[in-house]
Amino acid sequence: MMDPSQADGWTERSQPARHLQVTMVPDFPRFVAIDWSGARGKRYAGVAVAECAVGDAPPRIVEPPGGWWSRTAVFDWLLASLERGPALVGIDCAFSLPFVVAGRYFTDPETATVFDLWDRVEAVAGGESDFAGGAFAEHPDYGTDFWRSGLQPDWYRDPHRLAERVCRTDGYGSPQSPYKLIGSKQVGKGALAGMRMLRALRRAAPERVAVWPFEAAAPDRTVFCEIYPRLFLKRAGFGLRKIRDAADVDAALAFLGSRPVGLAGAVTDHDADALVSAAGMRWLAGRPEVWSPPVMDARARRQEGWIFGVGDQTPLPLPPGAGEGS
């Protein structure tokens, strides 16, 4: 039998000795990053799609049909792009909910998987157009777990998944709980909409789609992963501020091993997040510990998911100027 490390589309890379294992790292020819939105509507200014090829080619913005993307248009574009071969696709939304709460939705929480949760969300919110998921958070059986209005309720405990807690510990920012539906940074409705779209993609092309880390990254499949754009911006030295300037986009891309995109003047923060994330995914994808972070547990692999690039514990070069003046 052929050693899988020698098969097309795979690279074998040994991890540091303390892990005592070899991780199979898929080689992707394309990288796609999607800045996402869970808003109700028809088209959204907050959705952006960027793509780059392997190597150091600059990412490019994929122009939406009709001026702004709808989630259905993103789904259609992703489904059509499967014909172009495998890719690594990152979406800026949580792929699951914290199972310390969501586990209660199932008779046997230990055997439930993320796909069971997606089925439950679809059963409740399937009547909403454009993959909207807000109906799940409004349903009497589930809505009582979400903080939806007013001051923080006494019962609300701000539950987080392990990946979100590790992201904060790693210094990449503080992802909001999907159960918090208050404020400009709330992510829960985007997560529910993302779950619905991912479920539809798996059903439409089951042999060509894998969702990491719940499914193995196979060399003949397009792999979908959860991303947090702030992680790439922090690694590129931009802290917590948003990028809205073309020169800053190119500076971040340079740190992430990409040639400049060559825009001029102002850019939207959504386009900037997508461009930097596409290059950042390419920059990280060859690192074994990104695919198998030591801190990722069984619940994350089966139920809660993981943020691409969190917890890899790989020594990284300092951002430009980080060591100056010390």
Side-chain angles (χ1 to χ4, degrees):
M1 180 181 296
M2 177 183 290
D3 183 340
S5 69
Q6 306 304 313
D8 290 343
W10 290 93
T11 301
E12 179 181 295
R13 295 182 175 93
S14 296
Q15 290 187 329
R18 66 180 184 277
H19 299 301
L20 300 177
Q21 67 183 66
V22 173
T23 294
M24 310 311 300
V25 178
D27 291 325
F28 296 100
R30 296 185 297 121
F31 301 85
V32 176
I34 301 173
D35 204 38
W36 190 243
S37 172
R40 278 191 171 112
K42 295 182 178 180
R43 296 184 182 275
Y44 319 95
V47 176
V49 181
E51 180 176 17
C52 62
V54 70
D56 66 351
R60 66 176 183 88
I61 290 292
V62 180
E63 294 298 329
W68 285 354
W69 287 101
S70 67
R71 289 184 291 266
T72 301
V74 173
F75 169 84
D76 291 341
W77 183 84
L78 288 169
L79 195 60
S81 72
L82 295 178
E83 301 299 328
R84 297 161 53 201
L88 178 62
V89 179
I91 307 177
D92 179 20
C93 72
F95 285 8
S96 187
L97 299 173
F99 259 68
V100 66
V101 176
R104 300 200 299 263
Y105 306 155
F106 305 99
T107 303
D108 187 349
E110 295 304 314
T111 61
T113 70
V114 69
F115 304 124
D116 296 320
L117 175 62
W118 293 2
D119 288 344
R120 187 67 56 93
V121 171
E122 184 66 25
V124 173
E128 289 208 71
S129 62
D130 203 36
F131 296 113
F136 185 83
E138 298 162 359
H139 191 278
D141 290 343
Y142 312 107
T144 54
D145 292 324
F146 290 85
W147 174 14
R148 292 184 289 163
S149 64
L151 298 176
Q152 180 171 328
D154 292 339
W155 54 263
Y156 182 74
R157 296 294 180 264
D158 204 34
H160 284 80
R161 300 172 299 151
L162 176 62
E164 294 153 356
R165 298 197 301 271
V166 176
C167 184
R168 179 179 296 183
T169 300
D170 284 353
Y172 297 139
S174 300
Q176 298 286 303
S177 168
Y179 281 105
K180 180 182 177 182
L181 302 183
I182 294 294
S184 60
K185 295 183 179 179
Q186 62 113 334
V187 299
K189 291 180 181 178
L192 296 168
M195 294 177 212
R196 290 193 62 203
M197 187 187 73
L198 288 166
R199 179 182 182 276
L201 283 166
R202 289 182 76 246
R203 290 171 67 89
E207 301 302 320
R208 292 188 289 175
V209 167
V211 183
W212 181 85
F214 314 115
E215 298 172 305
D220 59 343
R221 296 193 179 206
T222 287
V223 177
F224 289 81
C225 66
E226 177 181 338
I227 58 172
Y228 184 57
R230 179 56 49 191
L231 178 152
F232 303 113
L233 294 171
K234 290 273 284 188
R235 287 193 169 198
F238 281 87
L240 295 177
R241 69 183 178 93
K242 290 184 177 292
I243 290 182
R244 295 189 174 95
D245 180 80
D248 284 344
V249 170
D250 283 344
L253 292 178
F255 180 80
L256 298 170
S258 172
R259 287 186 276 124
V261 69
L263 300 175
V267 298
T268 71
D269 56 301
H270 306 294
D271 284 355
D273 282 354
L275 289 165
V276 172
S277 295
M281 290 162 58
R282 179 178 62 189
W283 185 66
L284 287 177
R287 305 182 185 207
E289 289 186 336
V290 168
W291 295 99
S292 187
V295 72
M296 186 195 296
D297 63 8
R299 170 174 279 185
R301 292 186 182 278
R302 294 184 62 253
Q303 297 177 327
E304 291 191 340
W306 201 256
I307 300 169
F308 191 75
V310 163
D312 63 340
Q313 299 184 5
T314 303
L316 300 173
L318 290 173
E324 294 178 2
S326 60

